[in-house]
Structures are given as structure tokens and as C-alpha cells.
Amino acid sequence: MTPRTESAAAFSSTTTTVADAPRSELLQSVVDVARAIFGAEASSVFLLDEEADELVFQAVSGQGEEFLVGRRFPAGRGIAGWVATSGEPMVVDDLSADPSFDRSLAESTAYVPNALMAAPLISDARILGVLEVLDPSPQARSGVRELDLLAMFARQAAAALRVITPERVREAEERTALAGATLAGAQREDALKLLGSLERLLRGVG
């Protein structure tokens, strides 16, 4: 099991910063790409606010995207909570038979899936959150290989996310302030390149 070794609260901050728009765009790309690759009905990214011990919907593709972003729930609840705590990916073909599935939580989102795949967002031994795909195609959840692909995609997304966190962007801007340069755009571009390279890999072998 991988411990949540450091606080990831900064990644779910609602404070307006220079990195907020690129981060939102990146996370939306993550869920859109994951939903497409795995043929899912919906996909979500939750980021961990360890100080509040909550998971926060930060991006949604498909069912619930109109109203779920920003919603919080206790970090220990449901399969997303298990993945965030354990640091291990998980696939469930029949949620009605899985004791880890929190049906009341799912019902509160207005979409109750029958199956899901989930993987932790891990970067530098930090669990930043969880990527879920809901009701993926039967082919996408048929074996270990597909779960490994989701886990790899989640790791790449976490690495890209850390590139454009507010702290990283501020540090980079401070280092280059005397030169009059701003790196927000460059940081965003680098992060999206990382995500794009993995998307091409997954589409090539999926």
C-alpha cells in the first residue's frame, strides 16, 4: 500500500492563480481522453484535499459534468476513497456485488454506474487524487493490461499536473522575473505535451 505521504491540498485550492486555467484545461483533457480511450459513459478526476480529508470533483466528462465539479465527499468513502488510500488501481465489473461501492454516494451524483475502473494520480510518491472511468466498454475492462494502461495514463496525468501547479508556476516566474519572462504558457504547453504523448501511445496499443 502506498501512503498519502504529503498533503495535496494545494492541488484542490480554489484560489485564483495564474495556473488555474491551464490546470482546469489539463484535467478536462484527462477525463475526455480517458473516457474516449476506454469507451466509458463518464470519467472523473478527484483531487485530494488532505487537510480536509476530502476528495474533490475537479473535472468530469459525460454524466454529471454540468454540476459535479467542485463537489466534495469524505476521502474514505467508496472505491475512489479506497484507491486514494491504497495507491492501487482497481477494476470492478459488477458494482452491485462489491462491498467497497458506496451506492448512496453514487446516487447523489445522479449517475449510478454498473462497472468502473479507477487509478491513483501519483507523482513523486504523492497521491494527488484519483482518475475514474465509469461503465467502460467490456473490452476495456477485460484484463490486467487495460488496468495497467489506465494506471500509466493516471501517472502521466499526475506528472503533467505537477508541472502546472500554482506553486511550480510561481516559483518559475520568480526565477525569471528579472528577465521579464513568464512561464505560465510554457508550463501549460509542456504539461499538455506530456498528456498528448501518452494519448498517442494508448491509442496505438489500445
Side-chain angles (χ1 to χ4, degrees):
M1 295 174 67
T2 303
R4 296 181 301 185
T5 55
E6 298 180 58
S7 172
F11 293 92
S12 60
S13 171
T14 56
T15 302
T16 300
T17 72
V18 68
D20 281 348
R23 186 182 66 174
S24 296
E25 183 177 349
L26 171 66
L27 292 176
Q28 191 61 47
S29 296
V30 168
V31 293
D32 288 342
V33 169
R35 181 186 175 202
I37 289 173
F38 294 97
E41 291 297 320
S43 179
S44 303
V45 162
F46 311 93
L47 294 187
L48 178 64
D49 182 342
E50 195 165 82
E51 290 183 357
D53 196 29
E54 293 176 328
L55 286 169
V56 186
F57 278 96
Q58 290 289 345
V60 178
S61 179
Q63 296 282 347
E65 61 184 307
E66 301 89 356
F67 59 88
L68 286 177
V69 173
R71 180 173 177 178
R72 295 168 171 262
F73 62 91
R77 289 186 65 180
I79 290 175
W82 184 90
V83 171
T85 300
S86 69
E88 299 293 334
M90 185 176 188
V91 58
V92 182
D93 286 316
D94 182 5
L95 289 169
S96 65
D98 192 286
S100 299
F101 181 56
D102 190 330
R103 179 167 290 274
S104 63
L105 178 61
E107 289 174 347
S108 73
T109 70
Y111 179 63
V112 180
N114 297 309
L116 66 75
M117 301 168 68
L121 297 168
I122 300 177
S123 179
D124 296 336
R126 297 178 64 176
I127 297 179
L128 309 181
V130 177
L131 170 62
E132 277 191 351
V133 289
L134 308 180
D135 287 325
S137 68
Q139 296 83 0
R141 59 178 189 262
S142 61
V144 174
R145 174 176 174 271
E146 285 72 21
L147 189 59
D148 285 344
L149 286 176
L150 180 65
M152 180 172 61
F153 183 61
R155 287 194 299 271
Q156 190 79 355
L161 179 60
R162 291 206 62 182
V163 169
I164 58 171
T165 56
E167 290 75 13
R168 292 294 182 89
V169 173
R170 282 199 297 269
E171 290 170 3
E173 288 181 336
E174 288 170 1
R175 287 196 301 269
T176 58
L178 293 178
T182 176
L183 296 188
Q187 296 282 357
R188 170 182 172 277
E189 185 176 346
D190 287 346
L192 293 178
K193 282 180 180 178
L194 283 170
L195 188 61
S197 66
L198 186 63
E199 178 186 357
R200 290 191 294 273
L201 172 63
L202 291 179
R203 291 190 185 281
V205 299

